[in-house]
Amino acid sequence: MAKPNPFLALSTAAMALPAFAAPQPVETIVAIKATTYQEEDVPQRDVLAGSDERYKIDIAQFRLLTPVGEKWSLGVDVAYETMSGASPWGTIMGADGEASLIMSGATIRDKRTEVSLTATHHGESRSISVDLASSDEDDYEARAVSISGEWEMNNKLSTLSLGMSYSSDDIEPTDALRFGRVQREEKISRSLSAGWAQVLNKNSVVHVGLDVTDHDGYLSDPYKLRDVRPDEKLEWALSLKYRRYFDNQNAALHLDYRYYNDDWGINSHTFHTGWHQNFGDNVRVVPNVRYYSQNEADFYRGTDDFGLATTINQSSDFRLSGYGAYTLGVKLIYSALQWDVSLSIDRYISDKSYGHDASDQSHPALLSFNMTSFGLNFRF
Amino acid sequence: MKVKLVTSLCVVCLLSLAACETVQPWERGTLAKPEMQLSEGLDSPLYHQVYDSKEASSGGSGAAGAGCGCN
């Protein structure tokens, strides 16, 4: 099942645009990337029933971005995923007083296909994009539309970006009758975003962004034994990005921060920094670190309470608990005149003790995963 | 908390405007380098999709990814 997807359309439109300017692309770009995502198994001692084997996902991505005529560009993005493994159905109090998991069987198989088309009109100092996107799984379907624009000003040292999107998602859980799940539910998401990019000098740029998203509809997880969430959520996120190039080191520093807040009571902080070290004209090595921390949702419970009425909100989803996480990664890039190739490796670990406002008890389903990607880009 | 953040945002904007220099078009070669971009290629949709589906937060970059089948 897919997670709520507020920015499906908006994001693709934004990504089709240059980072902080709005000119028409001068060349066609074709990009492909293959990724393997593998979660570590849950410790057997924490599993009361079901499989301890968690998700493995293989992801294939494709992008085409090409100029059309003198004032237009067209972008096509396709992603195809195959996934297998088990997921937590519930959390109950074990005989030892510790939380234990009820997992699904290891037979979950699903695939997801996402397609988006972006058309952009480029003016003298602005661009306007329209994006249509769809995402399909066996049990989940999302359709989204967005419009976004960028305006250069201040002698092209500043760029204002604005966007809005609308997404309609339908879920039809598998084995609904067999397990007493909802048979069909819907969700609507609407989002607004605004950003300001500012060139500070010839070696540095900063970007400030603000997103607000409203979700309305079925927001619970139908696969869990007891998961009752509000049918509305309002969330917003503030982001800061800074890029600085060091001539002496032939390297660039990336500093990113995001503050997130929603009316389910969750606040989070995300820091991400990377050092882009060039070696000669062709090789770049990018070690990077990401830190994430969130507090728990107002209705989060460490273990499911089946004595509560089903009208009372509760969830034992580990993603709604209070915890923190680190990602350590490195990316290698070799660039030639008309193509480049990249390899990246990431290691993600999460723990209650890493969080700034952690839950009382550590959730046994907190994740660790490894991710490896191989990418190719062509320009012509 | 929100007021403080919005205030901080305004302060950052004002400081960035105050701190910026005039950069002529022929001086912008460094800013056009791949390593100076705010997001790069297919990395953004990939990472945002993974993190958005495994953590409670999303957004903030204009480049969050689509949902995945990862419960």
Side-chain angles (χ1 to χ4, degrees):
Chain A
M1 187 200 77
K3 198 207 170 202
N5 176 23
F7 297 111
L8 174 60
L10 179 63
S11 63
T12 312
M15 287 180 298
L17 296 170
F20 42 87
Q24 183 188 35
V26 295
E27 56 191 358
T28 295
I29 299 170
V30 174
I32 56 175
K33 183 183 281 283
T35 300
T36 296
Y37 166 97
Q38 176 73 65
E39 296 175 358
E40 287 187 358
D41 294 349
V42 181
Q44 188 62 52
R45 66 178 182 279
D46 292 330
V47 178
L48 195 66
S51 171
D52 62 349
E53 183 182 322
R54 299 190 76 174
Y55 263 92
K56 178 179 187 295
I57 307 174
D58 293 316
I59 307 163
Q61 295 170 274
F62 168 83
R63 170 175 291 176
L64 167 68
L65 177 63
T66 186
V68 178
E70 293 183 352
K71 290 184 177 297
W72 289 86
S73 63
L74 180 68
V76 180
D77 274 65
V78 179
Y80 180 75
E81 302 174 1
T82 57
M83 52 206 88
S84 61
S87 66
W89 275 358
T91 314
I92 65 171
M93 188 66 74
D96 57 357
E98 298 290 326
S100 296
L101 293 172
I102 299 175
M103 300 285 291
S104 67
T107 54
I108 295 175
R109 296 277 191 280
D110 202 354
K111 55 187 180 299
R112 187 180 79 95
T113 305
E114 179 185 352
V115 178
S116 69
L117 302 173
T118 306
T120 303
H121 182 265
H122 302 271
E124 180 62 27
S125 296
R126 62 112 182 101
S127 66
I128 301 291
S129 295
V130 176
D131 180 277
L132 301 175
S134 70
S135 177
D136 292 279
E137 297 174 63
D138 290 344
D139 59 352
Y140 201 91
E141 184 180 282
R143 300 287 179 266
V145 60
S146 77
I147 183 168
S148 59
E150 294 191 344
W151 291 265
E152 293 177 327
M153 50 193 76
N154 188 23
N155 196 25
K156 298 192 174 185
L157 294 174
S158 308
T159 304
L160 170 69
S161 56
L162 299 171
M164 63 176 71
S165 73
Y166 175 90
S167 175
S168 174
D169 299 10
D170 295 333
I171 181 169
E172 295 185 33
T174 55
D175 298 325
L177 291 176
R178 180 183 173 196
F179 290 105
R181 297 166 178 155
V182 295
Q183 294 189 46
R184 185 175 186 280
E185 292 288 349
E186 298 177 349
K187 175 180 61 113
I188 299 294
S189 299
R190 295 166 288 248
S191 68
L192 296 171
S193 70
W196 182 271
Q198 181 66 47
V199 173
L200 299 178
N201 53 49
K202 65 180 183 179
N203 279 353
S204 60
V205 61
V206 65
H207 179 271
V208 182
L210 183 66
D211 298 340
V212 180
T213 301
D214 167 66
H215 303 282
D216 189 4
Y218 187 79
L219 305 180
S220 303
D221 185 337
Y223 290 100
K224 297 198 183 302
L225 300 175
R226 183 61 62 90
D227 191 84
V228 185
R229 308 185 192 192
D231 55 10
E232 288 184 340
K233 184 164 79 164
L234 180 64
E235 60 189 39
W236 66 279
L238 169 69
S239 65
L240 298 170
K241 296 184 176 187
Y242 177 69
R243 305 286 179 266
R244 168 73 191 272
Y245 190 82
F246 295 87
D247 291 316
N248 293 341
Q249 281 77 29
N250 192 19
L253 172 68
H254 288 204
L255 292 175
D256 294 353
Y257 168 75
R258 177 187 66 180
Y259 173 75
Y260 168 91
N261 171 271
D262 64 41
D263 60 3
W264 287 4
I266 292 177
N267 296 284
S268 75
H269 303 275
T270 308
F271 300 89
H272 191 192
T273 182
W275 181 259
H276 293 239
Q277 180 64 58
N278 293 305
F279 293 95
D281 295 329
N282 303 108
V283 177
R284 179 156 46 114
V285 179
V286 189
N288 61 95
V289 179
R290 178 183 185 271
Y291 171 72
Y292 175 80
S293 175
Q294 68 174 55
N295 66 317
E296 66 184 31
D298 294 337
F299 52 88
Y300 170 77
R301 299 183 64 88
T303 55
D304 298 319
D305 187 345
F306 294 94
L308 282 180
T310 55
T311 54
I312 298 176
N313 294 326
Q314 66 163 310
S315 175
S316 65
D317 191 333
F318 73 92
R319 291 168 292 194
L320 299 179
S321 69
Y323 69 96
Y326 290 94
T327 306
L328 302 177
V330 64
K331 183 176 182 179
L332 310 174
I333 304 162
Y334 181 87
S335 299
L337 187 61
Q338 289 190 299
W339 57 271
D340 58 66
V341 58
S342 65
L343 174 69
S344 62
I345 300 172
D346 293 281
R347 165 77 174 160
Y348 177 96
I349 53 173
S350 60
D351 194 275
K352 167 181 175 292
S353 64
Y354 302 157
H356 72 282
D357 188 7
S359 297
D360 292 338
Q361 279 197 316
S362 182
H363 199 296
L366 284 177
L367 271 179
S368 295
F369 66 77
N370 297 309
M371 195 163 69
T372 304
S373 294
F374 176 78
L376 281 170
N377 295 328
F378 300 95
R379 299 171 291 273
F380 50 91
Chain B
M1 188 64 163
K2 291 181 184 177
V3 174
K4 284 184 179 177
L5 276 167
V6 172
T7 305
S8 302
L9 173 64
C10 294
V11 169
V12 169
C13 290
L14 290 172
L15 285 177
S16 67
L17 285 173
C20 66
E21 303 170 359
T22 297
V23 182
Q24 301 298 337
W26 56 88
E27 295 178 311
R28 297 179 189 178
T30 296
L31 298 172
K33 289 175 179 282
E35 59 268 34
M36 286 296 287
Q37 303 310 300
L38 296 173
S39 62
E40 197 171 355
L42 292 168
D43 281 356
S44 290
L46 175 68
Y47 284 100
H48 283 291
Q49 177 177 323
V50 169
Y51 290 127
D52 289 358
S53 62
K54 299 301 176 186
E55 298 171 341
S57 312
S58 61
S61 67
C68 76
C70 338
N71 282 323

